[in-house]
Amino acid sequence: MTKRGDHGYVKIDESQSHEKAYLARSVYEVEEADVRMRRQHILEQTGRDRRNAPCTGLSLSGGGIRSASFCLGVLQALQARHKEHPIPYGIEGTDYLSTVSGGGYIGNSLTTTLQKTKGEFPFSNKDNYDDTDAVYHIRDFSNYLIPHGALDVVTAIGVIGRGLVANAIIILPVLLFFVSITLLLHPNVASLGRPLPIFRGLVDSCSFLAGLPAYWLTTILLGVNLLFLFLWALAASAGVGKSASLSGGFVGVSKFLFFVTIITAFVETQPFILWIINEHVPSLPSTLLPIHQALHGLWNEIISYVKSAGLVMGSLATIFALFSKYLGDVLALAERATGWKAWFKKIAAISALWLAGLLVPFILWLSYLWLVDFGLGVETAPAVYLALLLISAFVALFINPNQTSLYGLYRDRLSKAFLFDPSGRPPKRDMNGDLLAFDPKLYEIDTNLCPYPIVNAALNIEASQFANRRGRNADFFMFTPEFIGSGATGYIGSRILEKNPPVLAFRGIGPRKSEKNAIDIGTAMAISGAALSANMGSSTIKALTFTLALLNIRLGYWLRNPNPEYDSPPRWGNWLLEQPLKLPSFLLFYEMFGWITEKRSRIYLTDGGHIENLGIYSLLKRRCKVILAVDAEADPTMSFGSLLILQRYARIDLGAAIDLPWQPIHDRTLAVNQAFANAEPDTIPPFDKTWPHCAAGEIRYGPNETGILLYIKASLTGDEDDYVLDYKRRHPEFPHETTSDQFFGEEQLEAYRALGFHIAKGLLTGETPFSVNLRPNETESEARSRILNLAREAFLGSDAKVPAPRNKKAAFAPAF
């Protein structure tokens, strides 16, 4: 019998198409078998018969600890027993659990705790609303990044400092290389104004070139460019080559000459700048003396300002980089908003991002100039710099940016907060009084005890020429108990893919067993929540890519490619390109410059929200017939941006259309916000009636295949508990406080949890109206009854004590 996760590589091609899903046939059939086994297991354990029920899925959106808190309340409502509905929908009725980022905090916590409780729901008691040990643990770690206060802050500072030092070691050889080359070519100040020996004869023979203080080679290359363009124009007129094509020999040569000229101009600028820096240049012609003095004076003024503001500039770069996610969010919101305020926010955010992006490269450039200037005229300087280059390069070989990034700290904090063992009466605890940690491998997850988990991440492919042709910069990547991979890379068994693949510098050191090194659920959860990085899929901030990577503000993760053929490509050219990737320090340069593609031995993964933040896309790929989706992302303008992106992806990629009436939620939430803004100080405004928090829409997979999307949105209508409304009074941004706030307290977590419970309870019991699309001659009450009946039949199976739908065409066929 095949072990869970013990599957060979699945290549995506025509043979992998499947009539029941948009997922690779081999992958879907394994998942289908797991879901069938779980349904049989639940029948034997509880008597709930869902063997012929439609396929159901639950998705929990991104949004950090805010989403985790809100989704905790939704999960509790899903499991709760109510007077009119004594049989809960429950996790037993959920086939798939798809999570992204913050939704994955609580979703993966549910998955792991169910392993220890043997399938018993860990976040609520059966007979009352008392918190369980699991919920108490999560409350204690609501401030999960620094749960123990000052000591954790000191630890975090140490980890950040370690990463900065590691990156400095990696970048130092590159800096010293250019310094050494410059000093070898220009050993003293006098040589800065002379051409290199290989060009000296050419310059001396040309009076025009001899009159230039620099840029001899650039001038020559400009002439070559003009000559080539003239010849190309003649060739195109004569019908030689493909004049209208964007490829071919002429185009290739043109691109080559263009980039060589630009690079040469930059390189030749450096001696010119050094020439300006030095006050006294030997043998300077009298005609150039006034120019040099004027430029030297200007440089002194600039550098004096830079020196006085250097510390401030460096601090600004770090601050802007740390808050780049917030600035990116502001920019995204401004793109959707209108008016002069939105325009001003957009301009301010763009300016701040570019300022942050340019400061660090500028400081590096000044460091290069200072090191060269210090060595000019010093006979031993080239040898000293060369020795330092060799030493630093050797040390850099042993620096692994995958291990020195902030990812490790982030993963450890998340795992401590959300992956634990609540079993036992009383449960066992560690020396700090916390529940014991429990972080199983993906393949160790018993899918009979939990909905089949799908942890979503973004595969960054900024440099891909094929898969990135739509401009997304990313592909949908998944971690499941059986398979790991994406459409771009293919899929491989979770038992096989190694979390820490061997690298060239350490090859052959120590024993390595694939299963012991397999990916655990904590790794998948942290990757799915890696919200801040140099490369962030469709959310990548190009201006900050270099700065974020160098300042080590990186939560992403380098993983071995699921496609094994890229480890040792047969073609020698590709093989050579792969070797730098097996030197761990080179990974940092791939991040800095966005040289990331799916066709390398290492791939770069970040937050699933960097391509789709709701987690619904993975359920659509499996053609789930009933999807309960929780949207707890930051959306203060209620523009439903992630839903609109999902609708576009579903239509383009899957040919599936989603029709969801979300406008009433938008209108009511903004009206409530306005009512609070207009209310008297320290008062809660009165609200007249209950309005919808949720919407129910139709998914059209094909001409004769439909599904239901039950959509829960973090929103306010005025019917919430008093302490929730009081929190809103004191925190106007609630329930869309920025994702940058990951330091929740008890009150903040409870406000979001209570809101999630309130909204989900109202939807599942039918006590609260939700917006619907009406069929001909159908009232709103009848439409809601029809949808709830279908949902209950799907979740409850034979336990659904509800009448048959009014319209027989609405009934589902079995999912499998």
Side-chain angles (χ1 to χ4, degrees):
M1 182 178 178
T2 303
K3 295 180 180 179
R4 184 179 296 109
D6 190 12
H7 310 289
Y9 176 66
V10 177
K11 186 176 183 179
I12 306 302
D13 54 29
E14 291 297 327
S15 66
Q16 286 295 330
S17 61
H18 198 286
E19 70 279 2
K20 292 183 180 179
Y22 303 107
L23 197 63
R25 175 177 52 81
S26 300
V27 176
Y28 180 73
E29 288 176 352
V30 171
E31 293 185 359
E32 178 187 27
D34 283 355
V35 172
R36 283 185 180 277
M37 288 177 61
R38 178 168 182 264
R39 290 184 173 192
Q40 181 63 35
H41 175 80
I42 291 173
L43 174 62
E44 295 170 358
Q45 296 294 316
T46 67
R48 179 179 292 192
D49 188 357
R50 294 187 62 251
R51 288 174 295 177
N52 294 317
C55 179
T56 61
L58 171 64
S59 69
L60 306 179
S61 80
I65 189 65
R66 179 191 62 250
S67 177
S69 305
F70 184 85
C71 292
L72 171 61
V74 173
L75 291 173
Q76 290 175 324
L78 188 66
Q79 196 68 18
R81 288 174 169 81
H82 308 290
K83 181 177 180 181
E84 300 298 328
H85 304 279
I87 302 175
Y89 283 68
I91 55 171
E92 296 87 355
T94 306
D95 295 319
Y96 289 99
L97 174 61
S98 176
T99 62
V100 180
S101 192
Y105 300 175
I106 196 67
N108 289 300
S109 183
L110 174 67
T111 297
T112 53
T113 51
L114 286 172
Q115 307 301 303
K116 288 297 186 179
T117 61
K118 302 304 180 184
E120 182 178 342
F121 187 71
F123 298 140
S124 62
N125 292 307
K126 292 182 178 179
D127 302 319
N128 55 54
Y129 289 111
D130 293 346
D131 282 346
T132 61
D133 290 313
V135 175
Y136 277 123
H137 180 92
I138 292 172
R139 287 189 188 280
D140 290 341
F141 283 87
S142 60
N143 192 6
Y144 70 94
L145 289 176
I146 49 172
H148 299 117
L151 289 177
D152 286 329
V153 173
V154 173
T155 301
I157 292 174
V159 172
I160 293 171
R162 179 196 67 184
L164 288 173
V165 170
N167 285 4
I169 293 173
I170 292 173
I171 203 71
L172 183 60
V174 179
L175 187 64
L176 290 174
F177 171 78
F178 288 109
V179 170
S180 301
I181 291 294
T182 304
L183 286 176
L184 287 172
L185 296 176
H186 303 281
N188 50 53
V189 176
S191 66
L192 295 173
R194 295 199 303 265
L196 300 178
I198 58 174
F199 299 111
R200 192 163 298 165
L202 176 63
V203 172
D204 292 341
S205 64
C206 181
S207 59
F208 173 72
L209 291 176
L212 293 175
Y215 300 107
W216 302 281
L217 186 55
T218 302
T219 304
I220 294 171
L221 286 174
L222 285 172
V224 173
N225 272 273
L226 290 173
L227 178 61
F228 173 77
L229 293 175
F230 172 73
L231 295 175
W232 189 8
L234 292 178
S237 300
V240 179
K242 301 176 181 179
S243 60
S245 175
L246 294 178
S247 61
F250 284 106
V251 173
V253 173
S254 178
K255 289 179 181 178
F256 174 77
L257 288 175
F258 174 80
F259 286 112
V260 167
T261 304
I262 294 296
I263 294 170
T264 302
F266 178 78
V267 171
E268 286 198 310
T269 298
Q270 308 317 305
F272 182 60
I273 296 294
L274 291 165
W275 180 77
I276 293 172
I277 291 174
N278 285 271
E279 183 176 2
H280 302 290
V281 180
S283 305
L284 188 67
S286 58
T287 55
L288 294 178
L289 186 60
I291 298 174
H292 177 269
Q293 290 177 342
L295 292 174
H296 181 72
L298 178 62
W299 173 265
N300 284 339
E301 291 185 15
I302 294 173
I303 208 65
S304 63
Y305 173 78
V306 170
K307 285 180 179 179
S308 61
L311 182 61
V312 176
M313 291 173 68
S315 302
L316 280 176
T318 305
I319 292 170
F320 281 143
L322 284 171
F323 288 95
S324 60
K325 181 66 168 65
Y326 172 74
L327 292 171
D329 291 341
V330 170
L331 186 58
L333 290 173
E335 290 283 358
R336 295 194 290 266
T338 58
W340 70 269
K341 290 184 179 180
W343 179 85
F344 178 78
K345 286 182 179 180
K346 179 179 178 180
I347 296 300
I350 291 175
S351 301
L353 290 173
W354 277 105
L355 177 61
L358 292 174
L359 282 176
V360 170
F362 181 70
I363 292 171
L364 281 177
W365 178 63
L366 289 180
S367 301
Y368 156 81
L369 292 175
W370 181 83
L371 288 171
V372 174
D373 188 54
F374 182 80
L376 284 173
V378 180
E379 187 174 344
T380 58
V384 171
Y385 282 142
L386 188 59
L388 291 174
L389 165 63
L390 295 175
I391 294 171
S392 60
F394 177 76
V395 174
L397 288 177
F398 298 91
I399 302 296
N400 190 337
N402 216 26
Q403 305 299 327
T404 58
S405 72
L406 296 178
Y407 165 83
L409 175 66
Y410 180 58
R411 183 202 177 284
D412 290 345
R413 292 288 189 261
L414 279 181
S415 297
K416 179 66 175 176
F418 293 99
L419 304 181
F420 48 83
D421 178 7
S423 62
R425 294 293 181 268
K428 295 181 180 179
R429 299 181 180 274
D430 61 19
M431 59 182 297
N432 296 316
D434 302 323
L435 295 177
L436 296 180
F438 177 57
D439 186 5
K441 308 292 186 186
L442 284 171
Y443 70 83
E444 293 175 335
I445 296 296
D446 185 352
T447 53
N448 283 340
L449 302 176
C450 63
Y452 190 87
I454 307 166
V455 183
N456 296 281
L459 168 67
N460 287 260
I461 50 174
E462 280 86 346
S464 173
Q465 297 299 312
F466 175 75
N468 194 31
R469 61 190 182 276
R470 294 173 183 166
R472 295 179 184 175
N473 290 329
D475 191 29
F476 303 89
F477 198 92
M478 73 174 194
F479 295 92
T480 73
E482 298 284 7
F483 283 96
I484 296 171
S486 71
T489 62
Y491 302 89
I492 200 165
S494 60
R495 191 183 293 264
I496 296 174
L497 190 65
E498 295 180 342
K499 177 173 64 174
N500 298 309
V503 293
L504 194 62
F506 303 102
R507 188 175 297 279
I509 298 180
R512 179 181 296 277
K513 291 185 178 180
S514 179
E515 290 191 13
K516 289 186 178 180
N517 196 38
I519 295 175
D520 49 60
I521 201 164
T523 297
M525 175 177 65
I527 292 172
S528 177
L532 186 59
S533 187
N535 299 273
M536 298 184 288
S538 58
S539 302
T540 298
I541 305 171
K542 297 292 186 182
L544 281 180
T545 298
F546 184 90
T547 297
L548 289 173
L550 188 60
L551 293 180
N552 204 43
I553 304 174
R554 306 158 43 245
L555 294 177
Y557 192 83
W558 284 94
L559 185 71
R560 193 172 196 160
N561 196 323
N563 189 340
E565 71 180 49
Y566 292 115
D567 263 345
S568 298
R571 296 179 58 183
W572 70 269
N574 291 335
W575 184 88
L576 287 176
L577 288 173
E578 283 305 315
Q579 301 319 300
L581 273 172
K582 296 177 182 178
L583 293 169
S585 52
F586 267 77
L587 297 176
L588 184 65
F589 296 104
Y590 281 80
E591 283 189 62
M592 285 180 180
F593 300 106
W595 298 334
I596 302 173
T597 176
E598 79 282 9
K599 295 183 178 181
R600 292 286 181 266
S601 60
R602 304 294 182 267
I603 54 175
Y604 191 64
L605 304 174
T606 56
D607 194 311
H610 291 158
I611 187 167
E612 196 270 305
N613 201 36
L614 298 178
I616 300 175
Y617 186 89
S618 289
L619 302 179
L620 296 177
K621 289 189 75 171
R622 290 154 177 84
R623 291 187 191 170
C624 289
K625 299 302 187 296
V626 176
I627 297 175
L628 179 61
V630 183
D631 180 358
E633 72 168 1
D635 187 11
T637 62
M638 296 301 286
S639 59
F640 288 72
S642 288
L643 175 64
L644 300 179
I645 291 173
L646 169 71
Q647 289 176 318
R648 171 162 53 89
Y649 287 162
R651 177 64 185 84
I652 294 172
D653 298 354
L654 312 177
I658 301 173
D659 184 9
L660 187 77
W662 53 267
Q663 193 67 39
I665 307 174
H666 164 276
D667 295 343
R668 181 58 179 179
T669 300
L670 294 185
V672 169
N673 290 343
Q674 191 61 48
F676 271 97
N678 296 336
E680 294 294 327
D682 301 324
T683 62
I684 298 174
F687 298 100
D688 51 359
K689 65 176 183 177
T690 300
W691 290 76
H693 291 275
C694 311
E698 183 180 60
I699 306 168
R700 294 190 294 275
Y701 291 111
N704 301 311
E705 185 180 5
T706 62
I708 289 176
L709 176 62
L710 296 175
Y711 190 88
I712 295 175
K713 180 74 170 178
S715 56
L716 291 175
T717 67
D719 63 346
E720 296 78 16
D721 291 333
D722 289 342
Y723 67 90
V724 175
L725 293 175
D726 181 65
Y727 184 86
K728 168 68 176 179
R729 176 183 63 80
R730 292 179 287 113
H731 301 85
E733 297 84 6
F734 176 80
H736 297 287
E737 293 167 293
T738 174
T739 308
S740 301
D741 179 10
Q742 292 294 296
F743 305 93
F744 271 33
E746 175 185 288
E747 182 190 23
Q748 196 172 8
L749 185 146
E750 174 57 19
Y752 281 97
R753 186 214 63 82
L755 180 62
F757 183 88
H758 165 76
I759 294 174
K761 173 179 175 289
L763 170 67
L764 299 175
T765 61
E767 296 173 359
T768 304
F770 52 90
S771 58
V772 292
N773 288 320
L774 303 181
R775 291 180 173 178
N777 301 320
E778 187 179 43
T779 65
E780 287 191 5
S781 177
E782 290 172 334
R784 294 187 184 111
S785 177
R786 167 177 55 83
I787 290 169
L788 286 178
N789 285 345
L790 292 171
R792 288 167 186 157
E793 287 178 351
F795 279 95
L796 301 181
S798 60
D799 287 331
K801 303 297 190 291
V802 294
R806 292 177 66 254
N807 187 342
K808 295 295 183 181
K809 292 182 179 179
F812 289 114
F816 302 124

